[in-house]
Amino acid sequence: MRISEITRESLNVDLLRKEPGHKYDHGHALVLSGGPGQTGAARMAARGALRIGAGAVTLGVPPAAQLEAAMQLTAVMLQRIPDGAALSETLEDSRINALCLGPALGLGARAAGLVKAALAAPHVVLDADAITLLSQDADLRDALHDGCVLTPHMGEFARLAPDLAEAAKAEGEGAKAQAAREAAARFGCVVLLKGPETIIATPEGEVRRHHATQDRATPWLATAGAGDVLAGLITGLLARGIAPVEAASTAAWIHAEAALLHGPGLIAEDLPDLMPQVLRDLGV
């Protein structure tokens, strides 16, 4: 199995540059939120999507959370999306070309309905609670497609694919990579398996790896919400028309780079606002 390392030199910086145009020329990302008291994770993901260059980002909330979210949002737009039927109606707007759902979404009937409806979209990032819902429903797993990106940490991976999670713990440098590769083939979509060694695998068998170790160690990313921002970064890049494996790889490197730039004291809210400096340093 060949594993490509994700490095600064391996990034296609041209993909990150913006050509002149209307905001919707750079995509419209929709991030779905949980209910009252549970909007923060999705708001951070939405800000990440906006900072990485999506032309427009909307936060979809249940009506009971609208006021809470509205008090916290400025450039991110807001829309009521109470259930899966409302999401399906929203997705009739063809300008929405990437979705993110899972961060603090919940595990109830509304959340399951949203996941089902979201999988009809061309590009979908599924994280956190959405992955748990996938683990509980074979029909949802069967609806995954090659425009999806799954972003589990090892605990979520163990719920989604317990056999592969166990195999990932085996001795040998390539065990985690092989498990992610098999997961991508099983689910028919890109899998980004998070950790100090982040593995990104495609259904076709391509495997990429980012090491946040040694001189790129980022212990400050072990903070609540950091993964939600990563999901948002991937979503923003998908909205901009970047292929799933490239979006996941680029976001993983940029996410770690932002943490390195900040250093000790990092909290998840800091990450989106570090994007301008990271992008400038890349020459975007």
Side-chain angles (χ1 to χ4, degrees), residues 29 31 44-55 57 229 231-237 240:
V31 180
M44 286 191 290
R47 191 167 179 84
L50 197 62
R51 279 293 195 188
I52 205 65
V57 179
V229 177
L233 296 177
I234 298 169
T235 306
L237 293 173
R240 294 184 60 186

Side-chain angles (χ1 to χ4, degrees), residues 181-201:
R181 183 186 188 195
E182 292 183 25
R186 178 180 298 181
F187 300 122
C189 63
V190 168
V191 173
L192 182 151
L193 185 51
K194 293 183 284 197
E197 178 192 55
T198 292
I199 302 293
I200 298 164

